[in-house]
């Protein structure tokens, strides 16, 4: 039962980080395509890219933390009914007095 809960939480976390990571890579690709325009503002494009990419990475980590926390907080787990003990035969459930031998 605990394994299933851990597995589902792990899957949720992996799914969230994968989706967010893909979005991050797409954003970095878009940034790479337009960062050369910053040269017109007398700024070094590579330094601008590094700063912006780091900021985007921090934002991505924050988004992952928030999404994972929301997912786990709103998760509803169903517990299975505990398995009952089997019926024992009468000779096991009766008590014999060791001194008299009566049961």
């Amino acid at each position: 039962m605990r394994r299933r809960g851990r597995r589902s939480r792990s899957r949720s976390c992996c799914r969230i980080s994968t989706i967010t990571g893909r979005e991050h890579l797409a954003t970095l690709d878009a940034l790479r395509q337009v960062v050369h325009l910053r040269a017109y503002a007398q700024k070094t494009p590579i330094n601008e890219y590094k700063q912006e990419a780091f900021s985007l990475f921090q934002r991505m980590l924050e988004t992952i933390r928030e999404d994972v926390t929301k997912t786990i907080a709103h998760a509803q787990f169903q517990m299975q009914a505990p398995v009952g003990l089997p019926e024992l035969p009468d000779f096991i459930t009766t008590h014999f007095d060791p001194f008299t031998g009566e049961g």
Side-chain angles (χ1 to χ4, degrees):
M1 190 163 21
R2 286 184 178 171
R3 287 183 183 163
R4 259 189 233 149
R6 285 183 187 153
R7 234 183 284 146
S8 68
R9 284 191 302 252
S10 177
R11 282 187 198 141
S12 295
C13 294
C14 285
R15 184 173 13 93
I16 289 169
S17 62
T18 300
I19 291 169
T20 308
R22 286 180 184 166
E23 290 172 356
H24 175 69
L25 290 175
T27 305
L28 287 178
D29 189 43
L31 176 63
R32 185 179 56 84
Q33 293 175 6
V34 298
V35 76
H36 69 280
L37 298 174
R38 304 223 179 151
Y40 292 122
Q42 302 296 321
K43 296 182 179 181
T44 310
I46 189 69
N47 290 337
E48 290 293 309
Y49 179 82
K50 287 178 184 179
Q51 290 175 353
E52 189 73 25
F54 184 71
S55 174
L56 289 169
F57 181 75
Q58 287 180 324
R59 212 173 306 150
M60 179 197 66
L61 291 179
E62 184 178 319
T63 301
I64 290 173
R65 283 189 203 107
E66 289 175 1
D67 290 348
V68 167
T69 303
K70 285 178 190 175
T71 300
I72 291 174
H74 292 97
Q76 295 180 357
F77 299 100
Q78 295 179 353
M79 303 295 281
Q80 295 178 350
V83 178
L85 295 175
E87 288 293 322
L88 298 175
D90 286 338
F91 69 88
I92 294 178
T93 59
T94 58
H95 174 70
F96 288 100
D97 187 357
F99 299 111
T100 62
E102 295 178 0

